[in-house]
Amino acid sequence: MAPLSISPDHPVVVLTGAGISKESGLSTFRDKDGIWSSVRIEDVATPEAFQRNPDAVHDFYNKRRRLLTEQHVEPNAAHYALVKLELAWPGGILVVTQNVDSLHEQAGSQNLIHMHGRHREARCNACDHVVAWKGDMSTEDVCEGCGERGGLRPNVVWFGETPMDMDLIEEALLGCGLFVSIGTSGNVYPAAGFVELVRKTHARAVELNLEPSQGAARFDITRYGPATEVVPAFVDDLIASLE
Ligand code: BJW
């Protein structure tokens, strides 16, 4: 690997997308066989869709939530490699995931932000109360915070909504020494713009993906291949640079 010349005392920020969970058996969104090839975004992933037809939106998310348990989806070597980096990197790492699965925390990542929310949480439209949710969700469910029926929705971020913890993420991006983007197509903002923000600083930017993303030209270093191969290899190189 070309020398990264980053100080070990500087934090690393890692952005992950659906590609990191693909080899665990979860679908991506925009690949040929991805989620958006069989369902329209406008029908399931906007607040307007939920207002128009909450049953259809619940059905879409219930099916995906069920898969997580029925398929025994487990973290893969890429998720574990990021835990290894977190334990080894003196400056610390923050994983910012766009994924709503819980594979990073199952692998053991500690410093983690779910910017697009979590599959296994429900949020009340009436009072914003958030609660862990493992089974199906429906318009019959009652919020345990305010007692309202019909307002519970998956605690995920739909198009047109503000992603979570943006202040923390921007602060981390502006203070990091290295930004690593893994398994994301670079189609969805604000995540797709993180590399541009980092380029305003002295930090280096690395893309690890199956193929070049939309923003590939903005990265200093790129490596392409399945996440279970390129992520552990990159992490090993990074840790070796400490010696
Ligand atoms: C592998 C692999 C393997 C495969 N190994 N790799 C016009 C211009 C600019 C912006 C906008 C615009 N119009 C509207 C907007 C904003 C809009 C947006 O970006 N739209 C675009 C479509 C243009 N964004 C928003 O509305 C966001 N909110 C917002 O901007 O608020 C304003 C604001 C910003 C900042 C501060 C304050 C306020 C919200 C976006 C919400 C996205 N939600 C979803 C659904 C979440 C819930 C759910 O799961 O159902 O999030 S959509 C979906 O896309 C999901 C993902 O997190 C997200 C990104 O997808 P990802 O992860 O990149 O997946 P793919 O499939 O696209 O790519 C997979 C990649 O993996 C590919 O590259 C493969 O090659 C690779 N791969 N196998 C390694 N084995």
Side-chain angles (χ1 to χ4, degrees):
M1 180 172 73
L4 271 170
S5 66
I6 71 156
S7 159
D9 297 329
H10 285 152
V12 176
V13 175
V14 178
L15 170 70
T16 66
I20 197 170
S21 298
K22 173 76 181 177
E23 291 159 86
S24 292
L26 294 178
S27 295
T28 59
F29 291 91
R30 293 169 188 81
D31 290 318
K32 206 161 38 67
D33 57 348
I35 292 171
W36 300 148
S37 67
S38 57
V39 60
R40 283 172 8 119
I41 289 175
E42 304 76 29
D43 291 338
V44 293
T46 66
E48 293 77 19
F50 187 67
Q51 231 172 358
R52 255 191 335 265
N53 193 345
D55 290 331
V57 175
H58 279 311
D59 188 48
F60 171 68
Y61 281 96
N62 286 341
K63 281 183 182 142
R64 285 174 57 200
R65 203 180 300 105
R66 270 182 237 144
L67 273 185
L68 291 179
T69 33
E70 285 166 12
Q71 279 187 358
H72 305 293
V73 175
E74 301 282 353
N76 64 48
H79 298 98
Y80 286 114
L82 295 179
V83 179
K84 185 174 170 185
L85 183 62
E86 185 168 6
L87 293 171
W89 194 252
I93 86 163
L94 169 66
V95 176
V96 177
T97 187
Q98 298 170 85
N99 300 339
V100 296
D101 65 55
S102 49
L103 295 179
H104 285 299
E105 45 271 62
Q106 279 174 243
S109 283
Q110 298 287 323
N111 203 16
L112 172 69
I113 291 177
H114 274 273
M115 66 177 287
H116 289 165
R118 292 178 153 98
H119 246 336
R120 284 175 165 158
E121 282 179 357
R123 187 171 84 242
C124 176
N125 258 338
C127 73
D128 270 346
H129 183 74
V130 173
V131 65
W133 203 274
K134 288 226 163 84
D136 284 359
M137 210 179 293
S138 85
T139 50
E140 291 305 309
D141 292 314
V142 174
C143 170
E144 65 176 40
C146 67
E148 183 115 340
R149 184 186 301 273
L152 287 183
R153 54 163 282 183
N155 190 26
V156 301
V157 178
W158 289 323
F159 284 98
E161 298 184 319
T162 302
M164 297 174 184
D165 295 323
M166 282 309 297
D167 291 352
L168 291 176
I169 295 170
E170 278 168 18
E171 192 185 325
L173 288 167
L174 291 172
C176 75
L178 178 67
F179 171 65
V180 187
S181 173
I182 302 172
T184 177
S185 62
N187 273 274
V188 176
Y189 286 82
F194 289 174
V195 62
E196 214 45 72
L197 193 63
V198 164
R199 280 169 65 87
K200 293 183 179 148
T201 72
H202 294 295
R204 311 300 301 280
V206 176
E207 170 164 279
L208 308 176
N209 205 25
L210 196 57
E211 56 193 26
S213 72
Q214 286 217 340
R218 300 188 185 113
F219 290 86
D220 302 299
I221 294 172
T222 54
R223 286 190 182 183
Y224 299 113
T228 55
E229 292 173 20
V230 292
V231 179
F234 178 77
V235 164
D236 285 346
D237 287 348
L238 207 52
I239 292 173
S241 76
L242 292 170
E243 287 151 11

